[in-house]
Amino acid sequence: MPTRLTQYRLCPRSRSIRLALAEYGIEVALLDENPWEWRKGFLAKNPAGEMPVLEYDNGLTLCGAYSISEFIADEPLPNATVMAQRPPPLFPGNREDRAEVRRLIDWYHGKFDREVTRELLNEKIYQTMRPSGSSAPDPSILRAVRANLRYHLAYTGYLADARRWLAGDDLSFADFAAAAHISTVDYLGEMPWHEYPAVKAWYQKIKSRPSFRALLADRVPGSSPPLAYSDLDF
Amino acid sequence: MPTRLTQYRLCPRSRSIRLALAEYGIEVALLDENPWEWRKGFLAKNPAGEMPVLEYDNGLTLCGAYSISEFIADEPLPNATVMAQRPPPLFPGNREDRAEVRRLIDWYHGKFDREVTRELLNEKIYQTMRPSGSSAPDPSILRAVRANLRYHLAYTGYLADARRWLAGDDLSFADFAAAAHISTVDYLGEMPWHEYPAVKAWYQKIKSRPSFRALLADRVPGSSPPLAYSDLDF
């Protein structure tokens, strides 16, 4: 069984794995790690210096959202699990459906991360926490990130409008990946919800799931979320 | 059957998929696309604007190395395939072995790409091809990228020294992903081979595979590889 997840509370990859674990009813202890510190003890666990890292009681250590999500999806369910209690598969459907799920995971954990979340976290949190860092975000970077965000939200809205869930009829890890990034952007006060009603309606569905509760209770030093962040009726 | 792969000849994600397809004996027509152009026709195929894109004769379109590699690995082999002719599995071994393969794919297609290949391609090729671009790479960016590259080659050498292939005893898609990035860095004349003998020995093994031949014959406008690039005895 997995026992510990090393993570940073606003890291979207960590958040997506926490959602997957919670959906599967897998309880783990959370170890907080500050990504801007590059601690030696953490690099010994994952030389890539990336989060999350999931540790098992048999000594197995899994690094990164890609490796962990595919591993969890591959996990045989306990015999006692009755059909009605089965968690939603992270990669539902047939081979072609799963290819669509993975395309979108790549979209959010790859492109969205590079063009929005990573930059926002760096400008608004990481660089203010570093001893040598400046305290104010660079307005030209924020402007570029906000333009990128609108492009991503328009695409997310297009998907949410056309489908029940982002990758198709069924909830999948693509929804958790997308919701993880959007929840971090929301925490940082950057979500223009009123401009994207389809994104809001989709996010309301996923935000109401019990697996989401722990994320909404998270706070990090140096930043407070807007009031509506943890409100299910935002 | 897949019929067409849209790619850019030096794009490492495209290269990794070309290696996988060649290992599986799947022949596809290659369509060249210039990533710096953001052509509308290409964005209609993949709104993420990323390569490669694999198209099937039944109309199915797969976008991105993650989605494509997992889809190919999931493909049932033709009945006629005898054991001796079976291609090497892209994700060999048990669940834990596969998690290690995926950790390393993430390393090369994620971290190595962000810290080395993407920057090198941008400085040495893309910006020289854009009408408005400058022609000379920024020396401070090149210096940072070269320092990053040494860190990545030290880690790759550590893996190559400790294991038969990068993820373990068996050749895997992690080797193809790593070799794809390193082959692009090599094309751009940036590989300090003599400093990393274990990386060189591993790369010689993979470079000698028939699947690698097409990559070694590639040339792009605006840049020629060093003489040893296509030499198997470099």
Side-chain angles (χ1 to χ4, degrees):
Chain A
M1 285 296 290
T3 54
R4 302 197 298 184
L5 187 78
T6 304
Q7 55 114 39
Y8 171 65
R9 285 171 198 262
L10 294 186
C11 158
R13 289 155 191 254
S14 302
R15 292 189 148 220
S16 70
I17 294 299
R18 287 167 63 195
L19 289 171
L21 291 170
E23 291 282 340
Y24 275 59
I26 302 170
E27 281 184 37
V28 292
L30 295 180
L31 294 186
D32 288 323
E33 181 70 35
N34 292 326
W36 59 87
E37 287 179 359
W38 297 90
R39 269 199 328 113
K40 280 198 176 165
F42 176 60
L43 292 174
K45 265 187 213 173
N46 183 7
E50 287 172 13
M51 279 176 258
V53 173
L54 185 62
E55 291 171 276
Y56 282 71
D57 49 15
N58 66 357
L60 175 68
T61 299
L62 300 181
C63 299
Y66 171 31
S67 183
I68 295 172
S69 60
E70 296 280 350
F71 190 85
I72 293 174
D74 223 6
E75 194 143 29
L77 292 168
N79 285 335
T81 314
V82 294
M83 278 304 283
Q85 291 173 341
R86 285 208 174 166
L90 298 180
F91 302 91
N94 62 24
R95 262 175 89 217
E96 303 189 5
D97 298 331
R98 290 193 293 274
E100 177 65 358
V101 171
R102 292 186 173 110
R103 176 180 79 85
L104 292 175
I105 293 166
D106 213 13
W107 186 294
Y108 292 98
H109 277 341
K111 189 177 174 70
F112 191 108
D113 187 58
R114 212 164 47 234
E115 298 174 354
V116 179
T117 331
R118 183 177 292 258
E119 295 288 330
L120 265 188
L121 282 170
N122 199 43
E123 290 301 312
K124 291 196 140 187
I125 309 270
Y126 299 176
Q127 73 171 10
T128 70
M129 303 304 284
R130 288 189 196 108
S132 60
S134 73
S135 54
D138 180 330
S140 69
I141 294 182
L142 282 188
R143 206 158 35 234
V145 166
R146 285 172 186 148
N148 291 344
L149 174 63
R150 280 178 160 75
Y151 160 79
H152 281 285
L153 292 177
Y155 187 64
T156 306
Y158 157 78
L159 294 173
D161 231 7
R163 300 167 172 182
R164 281 192 61 210
W165 294 97
L166 294 188
D169 281 343
D170 297 309
L171 177 71
S172 75
F173 191 61
D175 295 286
F176 297 133
H181 284 272
I182 287 173
S183 71
T184 293
V185 173
D186 192 27
Y187 186 101
L188 297 173
E190 295 284 345
M191 271 301 294
W193 288 115
H194 59 287
E195 294 175 40
Y196 300 94
V199 178
K200 184 173 175 175
W202 159 81
Y203 189 69
Q204 269 173 326
K205 278 195 295 181
I206 200 160
K207 190 179 182 181
S208 308
R209 296 180 73 85
S211 62
F212 226 87
R213 272 180 217 145
L215 269 57
L216 300 178
D218 277 346
R219 297 293 179 272
V220 297
S223 176
S224 309
L227 279 177
Y229 167 75
S230 41
D231 190 347
L232 292 184
D233 200 25
F234 56 107
Chain B
M1 285 296 290
T3 54
R4 301 198 298 185
L5 187 78
T6 305
Q7 55 115 37
Y8 172 65
R9 286 172 197 261
L10 294 186
C11 159
R13 290 154 191 255
S14 302
R15 293 189 148 221
S16 70
I17 294 299
R18 286 167 63 195
L19 289 171
L21 291 170
E23 291 281 340
Y24 275 58
I26 302 170
E27 281 184 37
V28 293
L30 296 180
L31 294 186
D32 288 323
E33 181 71 34
N34 292 327
W36 59 88
E37 287 180 357
W38 297 90
R39 270 199 328 113
K40 280 197 175 166
F42 177 60
L43 292 173
K45 263 186 215 173
N46 183 7
E50 287 172 14
M51 280 176 258
V53 172
L54 185 62
E55 290 171 276
Y56 282 70
D57 49 15
N58 66 357
L60 175 68
T61 299
L62 300 181
C63 300
Y66 172 30
S67 184
I68 295 172
S69 60
E70 296 280 350
F71 190 85
I72 294 174
D74 223 5
E75 194 143 27
L77 291 169
N79 285 335
T81 314
V82 293
M83 278 303 283
Q85 293 173 339
R86 285 207 175 168
L90 298 180
F91 302 91
N94 62 25
R95 263 174 88 215
E96 302 189 6
D97 298 331
R98 289 193 293 274
E100 177 65 359
V101 171
R102 291 185 174 110
R103 176 181 79 84
L104 291 175
I105 293 166
D106 214 12
W107 186 294
Y108 292 98
H109 277 341
K111 189 177 175 69
F112 191 109
D113 187 59
R114 212 163 47 233
E115 298 174 354
V116 178
T117 331
R118 185 177 291 259
E119 295 289 330
L120 265 189
L121 281 170
N122 200 42
E123 290 301 312
K124 291 196 140 186
I125 309 270
Y126 299 178
Q127 73 171 10
T128 69
M129 303 303 285
R130 289 188 196 107
S132 61
S134 73
S135 55
D138 180 330
S140 69
I141 294 182
L142 282 188
R143 206 157 36 234
V145 166
R146 285 172 185 148
N148 291 343
L149 174 62
R150 280 178 160 73
Y151 160 78
H152 280 285
L153 293 177
Y155 187 63
T156 305
Y158 157 78
L159 295 173
D161 231 8
R163 301 168 171 180
R164 280 193 61 211
W165 294 98
L166 295 188
D169 281 342
D170 297 310
L171 177 71
S172 75
F173 192 60
D175 295 286
F176 297 133
H181 285 272
I182 287 173
S183 71
T184 293
V185 173
D186 192 28
Y187 186 102
L188 297 173
E190 295 284 344
M191 271 302 293
W193 287 115
H194 58 285
E195 293 176 40
Y196 300 93
V199 178
K200 184 172 174 175
W202 159 80
Y203 189 69
Q204 269 172 327
K205 279 195 295 182
I206 200 160
K207 191 180 182 181
S208 309
R209 295 180 74 84
S211 61
F212 227 86
R213 270 179 218 147
L215 270 59
L216 299 179
D218 276 348
R219 297 294 179 273
V220 297
S223 177
S224 307
L227 279 177
Y229 166 74
S230 41
D231 191 346
L232 293 184
D233 199 25
F234 55 108

